[in-house]
Amino acid sequence: MADSPNCDLKSLSPLQLFERVTEQGEKVRALKAGKAPKDEIEAAVRMLLSLKLLYKTTTGQDYQAGLPPRDLVLINNGTSKEEDEDFVDPWTVQTSNAKGVDYDKLIVRFGSSKIDTDLINRIERATGQKPHRFLRRGIFFSHRDMDQILDAYENKKSFYLYTGRGPSSQAMHVGHLIPFIFTKWLQEVFDVPLVVQLTDDEKYLWKDLTIEKSYEYARENAKDIIACGFDINKTFIFSDLDYLGTSTGFYKNIVKVQKHVTFNQVKGIFGFTDSDCIGKISFPAIQAAPSFSSSFPQIFNGKENIQCLIPCAIDQDPYFRMTRDVAPRIGQPKPALLHSVFFPALQGAQTKMSASDPNSSIFLTDTPKQIKTKINKHAFSGGRDTIEEHRKYGGNCDVDVSFMYLTFFLEDDDRLEQLKQAYTSGELLTGELKKVLIETLQPLIAAHQERRKQVTDEMVKQFMTPRKLAFEF
């Protein structure tokens, strides 16, 4: 139909779609200028509106003439097909590849550095501890300036950790645990302070939530973070809605960042449009500010030269590319980063898990029965269509979600390799692999739920009270 984008258009890249909208707009203007028949003009206008809607659905941005989509990461997975491109920004992760995003090409696109064996070995030497499984297995795969952090640490200079959580729902899922599991390990082996930002302001700006509900979710999510086992004497958790009004150091850094980033730059980095509220446009400075130690004078005794290390998923990197660009201009050290891969949805590695889709995730509130049902019913399989074919040809661990989850949560490297070999050879069936995952996740989540029950409102208040931690600066 003339007024509906066809399937071929839906496979276009954002830039190609932008060009298609532009062409259609020019066609409408030409028809009007040439006084074409009314029904022909109306059909062209309907097509233009449909294309603009498809453009917004695809990019998350309103079409604006002369402003093509920017900072949507486009990575071709080695083929010439448009549908094989990956799209990554702080709000959207899309790939057509069942193996997931091509992270090697993402490193090139973002300009970060690969975490290689030499860096992992150096971390082991510096800490005297076996590298975390997330490092051994490439789950944290990319970095910015981790070598500088190690240089400072080896010269007896301290640093601090900063990570965060956007509280968009009351219940967190297992994917949300990944940065906190790794950050806890980093805190323990390096013995450094940690600040955790709860961006309840961001979720109010982006989601259909009241400000009270966003704040409530922040405090509920704080309980799950505390249940990961963080040391109250070394950890400060804060809500933006709370802390911004009490810390002049935090607000001063926000204003400094805001002064040094133009509206044009923030549109280019994050894809904001003229129709976005001003809260969204100013928010990146709020996520940047905890990267500077002067935002926490109570912890660092007012010192401004303490470097920050940020473990996060790589979709958050645009915030900190901006931060690293601004830091030298406001007299602050650039934050270092450690990037993780995305935790796949049960339905496959094409997307991140979603807190809004209960069947895409294993939630930290799920019962053992729910965990079993979700994995058996929804976990994407790399097995064959029949037992006979599976025995003959084996399964594909690269796309099998149960195996992917085990790489995150099964500690034993030898056991994981045995499962991989058995599944790949066809000796182990899909149902048997899912059973291993169920038996791994059920006790892990039950233990988390038990720890969370012990977290009282008073403990949350203590963790979230600005105070001096157990370090001297």
Side-chain angles (χ1 to χ4, degrees), residues 218-257:
R219 296 187 72 85
E220 287 300 314
N221 285 186
K223 292 179 181 179
D224 278 304
I225 294 167
I226 293 167
C228 290
F230 289 107
D231 187 337
I232 195 169
N233 297 310
K234 301 178 181 181
T235 306
F236 173 48
I237 301 173
F238 65 98
S239 145
D240 284 343
L241 292 174
D242 267 345
Y243 191 57
L244 187 55
T246 63
S247 173
T248 56
F250 186 42
Y251 184 60
K252 285 177 182 176
N253 282 330
I254 291 170
V255 173
K256 288 178 184 177
V257 174

Side-chain angles (χ1 to χ4, degrees), residues 237-290:
I237 301 173
F238 65 98
S239 145
D240 284 343
L241 292 174
D242 267 345
Y243 191 57
L244 187 55
T246 63
S247 173
T248 56
F250 186 42
Y251 184 60
K252 285 177 182 176
N253 282 330
I254 291 170
V255 173
K256 288 178 184 177
V257 174
Q258 288 172 339
K259 183 173 182 176
H260 289 82
V261 181
T262 68
F263 180 43
N264 196 47
Q265 285 174 317
V266 87
K267 285 198 297 184
I269 295 168
F270 300 102
F272 296 144
T273 69
D274 292 343
S275 61
D276 280 309
C277 70
I278 60 174
K280 290 184 179 181
I281 295 159
S282 63
F283 174 75
I286 298 174
Q287 185 157 325

Side-chain angles (χ1 to χ4, degrees), residues 90-91 165-169 176 198-211 213-215 217-218 221 240-241 280 283 316 319 352:
W91 304 279
R165 159 79 182 135
S168 58
S169 62
H176 293 139
L198 299 174
T199 57
D200 41 11
D201 52 344
E202 176 205 15
K203 293 309 174 185
Y204 170 69
L205 292 168
W206 262 268
K207 302 286 187 179
D208 185 20
L209 295 172
T210 65
I211 203 162
K213 185 61 70 174
S214 297
Y215 182 67
Y217 287 166
N221 285 186
D240 284 343
L241 292 174
K280 290 184 179 181
F283 174 75
Q316 297 300 300
Y319 283 109
K352 293 190 299 183

Side-chain angles (χ1 to χ4, degrees), residues 211-455:
I211 203 162
E212 292 79 15
K213 185 61 70 174
S214 297
Y215 182 67
E216 176 190 331
Y217 287 166
R219 296 187 72 85
E220 287 300 314
N221 285 186
K223 292 179 181 179
D224 278 304
I225 294 167
I226 293 167
C228 290
F230 289 107
D231 187 337
I232 195 169
N233 297 310
K234 301 178 181 181
T235 306
F236 173 48
I237 301 173
F238 65 98
S239 145
D240 284 343
L241 292 174
D242 267 345
Y243 191 57
L244 187 55
T246 63
S247 173
T248 56
F250 186 42
Y251 184 60
K252 285 177 182 176
N253 282 330
I254 291 170
V255 173
K256 288 178 184 177
V257 174
Q258 288 172 339
K259 183 173 182 176
H260 289 82
V261 181
T262 68
F263 180 43
N264 196 47
Q265 285 174 317
V266 87
K267 285 198 297 184
I269 295 168
F270 300 102
F272 296 144
T273 69
D274 292 343
S275 61
D276 280 309
C277 70
I278 60 174
K280 290 184 179 181
I281 295 159
S282 63
F283 174 75
I286 298 174
Q287 185 157 325
S291 305
F292 309 129
S293 58
S294 53
S295 292
F296 308 100
Q298 72 278 8
I299 298 174
F300 300 107
N301 198 26
K303 291 187 177 179
E304 298 188 358
N305 61 345
I306 311 298
Q307 193 171 10
C308 174
L309 174 62
I310 306 169
C312 63
I314 194 154
D315 60 343
Q316 297 300 300
D317 189 71
Y319 283 109
F320 300 113
R321 290 205 304 274
M322 180 199 76
T323 307
R324 286 168 55 84
D325 178 64
V326 169
R329 290 185 280 150
I330 61 174
Q332 300 283 1
K334 292 182 179 181
L337 288 100
L338 292 170
H339 299 127
S340 75
V341 302
F342 303 119
F343 195 84
L346 282 170
Q347 288 79 3
Q350 286 88 344
T351 59
K352 293 190 299 183
M353 290 180 119
S354 170
S356 60
D357 181 359
N359 290 324
S360 75
S361 313
I362 303 293
F363 283 86
L364 301 181
T365 52
D366 283 347
T367 64
K369 182 179 179 181
Q370 287 174 317
I371 294 168
K372 181 178 180 179
T373 300
K374 285 184 179 183
I375 292 171
N376 282 331
K377 188 174 181 179
H378 298 290
F380 184 80
S381 168
R384 303 290 175 172
D385 291 337
T386 67
I387 292 178
E388 291 75 16
E389 287 182 357
H390 188 88
R391 295 291 191 201
K392 184 176 181 180
Y393 300 111
N396 184 353
C397 289
D398 289 337
V399 302
D400 192 286
V401 167
S402 294
F403 184 80
M404 291 180 189
Y405 280 27
L406 286 168
T407 65
F408 283 88
F409 293 112
L410 186 63
E411 176 63 35
D412 190 327
D413 290 339
D414 292 336
R415 173 67 171 145
L416 186 68
E417 182 60 28
Q418 289 170 3
L419 291 168
K420 182 177 182 179
Q421 295 297 330
Y423 194 62
T424 303
S425 69
E427 176 188 347
L428 190 71
L429 298 176
T430 295
E432 294 168 330
L433 185 63
K434 287 185 175 184
K435 185 172 184 289
V436 176
L437 176 61
I438 292 165
E439 292 173 348
T440 301
L441 283 183
Q442 283 177 334
L444 184 149
I445 292 175
H448 179 89
Q449 291 169 351
E450 190 57 37
R451 291 192 301 271
R452 193 185 190 281
K453 288 179 183 176
Q454 310 305 315
V455 179

Side-chain angles (χ1 to χ4, degrees), residues 161 163 178-188 194 230 311:
L161 294 162
T163 194
I178 303 308
F180 295 110
I181 290 171
F182 188 59
T183 299
K184 180 175 180 288
W185 180 81
L186 289 170
Q187 185 185 48
E188 290 174 347
L194 163 66
F230 289 107

